[in-house]
Amino acid sequence: LKIPTSPMSDTWSYIVDSGDIVEALAGPLGFSKQLVDPRVKSTRDWISETYIRSTFVAMCGTWSSAYEAYPNFVRQNSFYQYTPARWIGSTALTWMCSMRVKKMKNDGTLGKDEAFDAFIYRQFNDFVTKFPSTDSPFHGGNTPDIADIEMFGVTRAVIENSQLQAIFKDGGKVEVWINHM
């Protein structure tokens, strides 16, 4: 099985798209039918259109958090890992995020005075409300479905970021879901 990736260039990291990865894994994992299920598709669309963008902004919304996250976006052991490149890259990430935040505030996605960690927590709780019932440990019910797997993959990529750790270790349904996964 080949995981779909797109090289940015010979010296940069590979871009991975969780949607493409999940679709490649769906067959071997026995989840092919779920790819066309409207409830699962709606949740997967929400993951790629809202959750991924929001976590990126949360990880890079301040210069110090962008500096922490920067190594995740560049190839290891390359020129881009050196301090001057990291400073410049962190500044660029922060600028990109400020443009995204401005857009989110203008379109009402993000409240004018809402902190980004509160916004991400709200986003994650939106995912939890997509579960079939309040007793369900997973989006798929009693067992994970392909949306759980995609959400977990995306979350694992950002779970160690200091800006997001409190969200994932809230002691509530978010943390319970992560522990179940």
Side-chain angles (χ1 to χ4, degrees):
L1 176 69
K2 184 177 184 321
I3 301 296
T5 60
S6 301
M8 291 170 61
S9 75
D10 291 339
T11 58
W12 282 68
S13 294
Y14 284 83
I15 303 271
V16 293
D17 182 315
S18 65
D20 291 342
I21 293 169
V22 165
E23 288 174 17
L25 293 173
L29 294 176
F31 290 118
S32 296
K33 290 180 183 174
Q34 291 181 12
L35 293 176
V36 294
D37 178 304
R39 184 172 136 330
V40 171
K41 183 173 177 0
S42 171
T43 301
R44 291 188 61 234
D45 288 346
W46 172 84
I47 291 167
S48 63
E49 294 167 10
T50 303
Y51 181 69
I52 291 173
R53 290 176 181 173
S54 300
T55 54
F56 173 75
V57 173
M59 286 175 55
C60 301
T62 65
W63 191 87
S64 60
S65 62
Y67 187 81
E68 177 188 345
Y70 180 79
N72 297 319
F73 302 109
V74 297
R75 184 174 289 219
Q76 299 297 315
N77 302 319
S78 70
F79 162 80
Y80 301 102
Q81 290 286 309
Y82 294 113
T83 302
R86 191 170 178 180
W87 290 340
I88 293 166
S90 301
T91 302
L93 287 172
T94 305
W95 177 80
M96 288 169 39
C97 288
S98 71
M99 296 295 105
R100 180 79 181 143
V101 167
K102 183 186 279 188
K103 181 179 178 196
M104 291 171 75
K105 286 185 177 186
N106 287 340
D107 72 13
T109 306
L110 178 66
K112 295 248 184 246
D113 298 321
E114 186 175 20
F116 226 86
D117 56 348
F119 174 73
I120 297 296
Y121 189 75
R122 183 167 50 92
Q123 293 296 309
F124 211 108
N125 276 307
D126 284 352
F127 171 71
V128 172
T129 64
K130 297 174 189 307
F131 290 10
S133 75
T134 55
D135 298 353
S136 300
F138 302 107
H139 182 272
N142 291 326
T143 58
D145 64 7
I146 201 75
D148 283 303
I149 292 169
E150 184 169 1
M151 184 69 166
F152 187 67
V154 171
T155 301
R156 289 289 298 155
V158 299
I159 203 165
E160 295 303 321
N161 182 275
S162 63
Q163 298 294 312
L164 301 174
Q165 281 185 348
I167 295 165
F168 301 127
K169 296 177 181 173
D170 71 334
K173 197 155 185 175
V174 170
E175 185 174 6
V176 169
W177 176 82
I178 289 170
N179 291 335
H180 276 106
M181 287 302 289

